[in-house]
Amino acid sequence: QSALTQPASVSGSPGQSITISCTGTSSDIGGHDYVSWYQQHPGKAPKRMVYDVIKRPAGVSNRFSGSKSGNTASLTISGLQAEDEADYYCSSYTSSSTFVVFGGGTKLTVL
Amino acid sequence: QVQLVESGGGLVQPGGSLRLSCAASGFTFTDYYMSWVRQAPGKGLEWVSYISSSGRTSYADSVMGRFTISRDNDKNSLSLQMNTLRDEDTAVYYCARTSRLRALFDWWGQGTLVTVSS
């Protein structure tokens, strides 16, 4: 069982927006502004999409945006495209000994 | 550009050992922590270990005492010595450039598969 809770799957049609939630505790998401989101296509390595809750690395589309409220972080993808179909993982710094915790991953299907 | 290339994966029997390597290029290796993150087949991501540029290390409880991370700053390389391997260590192992403060893995290698089976 993962430390952070994500929905197993979400889906949306091209052009629509979807939001993936990631729920933790006050020891991780709620206590620190170091939440990251990773995109992983089948057979490929994860790719950083959002970090520090809301920041986007150079080269990542502005259709991807992050937010946080209390112990829950969210990734919103607007203007869904077929290429967005992938698994998405959240992670957070944690004040426990492990230093980082991951969510179990969410499979995004573009209908 | 940043490149991380893992090697050394393969099939090993339970109780056996394996050494993974990661060759880094395209950035100043000594400016960064480096980590190993693994992913069991069909499962999520699990942080395994990190090492600072000066050699300070940390491990997940699941591998403590069995795995040893090391780095060679002269050769821009990262290693993971895995001993007393168990079935549950079967996974793709990724080398990842790490921001310790942010708990962020900003660049990843392509991964190397370790299969522990008799």
Side-chain angles (χ1 to χ4, degrees):
Chain A
Q1 188 171 351
S2 301
L4 304 179
T5 301
Q6 298 180 234
S9 63
V10 298
S11 63
S13 299
Q16 288 185 332
S17 295
I18 63 94
T19 297
I20 300 172
S21 62
C22 173
T23 302
T25 70
S26 57
S27 296
D28 39 67
I29 292 175
H32 309 279
D33 288 332
Y34 295 128
V35 177
S36 302
W37 289 90
Y38 301 90
Q39 176 191 64
Q40 186 179 35
H41 289 107
K44 300 295 186 182
K47 175 187 175 183
R48 172 188 54 156
M49 304 302 284
V50 169
Y51 67 102
D52 293 356
V53 179
I54 60 171
K55 297 178 182 177
R56 265 191 318 274
V60 171
S61 171
N62 59 9
R63 297 185 299 105
F64 292 82
S65 62
S67 63
K68 188 185 89 165
S69 177
N71 295 338
T72 298
S74 299
L75 175 71
T76 297
I77 308 174
S78 59
L80 270 180
Q81 300 179 0
E83 67 212 47
D84 300 333
E85 185 163 293
D87 293 327
Y88 291 85
Y89 293 91
C90 62
S91 73
S92 173
Y93 175 86
T94 174
S95 50
S96 75
S97 60
T98 59
F99 124 88
V100 65
V101 286
F102 283 100
T106 298
K107 181 176 180 59
L108 168 62
T109 301
V110 180
L111 302 171
Chain B
Q1 74 280 19
V2 174
Q3 275 200 310
L4 299 169
V5 180
E6 301 94 336
S7 60
L11 175 63
V12 61
Q13 292 188 338
S17 298
L18 207 58
R19 187 178 182 86
L20 306 182
S21 297
C22 172
S25 60
F27 65 100
T28 303
F29 190 63
T30 51
D31 283 349
Y32 290 89
Y33 281 64
M34 295 295 296
S35 294
W36 290 96
V37 179
R38 68 184 180 183
Q39 186 171 35
K43 302 297 184 182
L45 302 169
E46 179 189 17
W47 169 74
V48 171
S49 177
Y50 72 61
I51 185 168
S52 73
S53 57
S54 62
R56 186 170 70 90
T57 61
S58 182
Y59 299 91
D61 289 345
S62 58
V63 306
M64 183 85 69
R66 301 188 297 122
F67 290 11
T68 302
I69 191 172
S70 61
R71 65 191 291 164
D72 185 333
N73 288 335
D74 291 333
K75 296 182 178 178
N76 287 359
S77 68
L78 176 72
S79 296
L80 185 68
Q81 177 66 42
M82 303 185 295
N83 298 331
T84 321
L85 283 161
R86 305 167 179 167
D87 291 350
E88 56 264 34
D89 295 319
T90 294
V92 174
Y93 285 73
Y94 294 101
C95 163
R97 196 176 79 169
T98 303
S99 166
R100 169 65 176 86
L101 172 66
R102 292 181 160 89
L104 168 66
F105 308 103
D106 63 352
W107 286 97
W108 300 64
Q110 84 287 353
T112 187
L113 176 62
V114 173
T115 303
V116 183
S117 174
S118 55

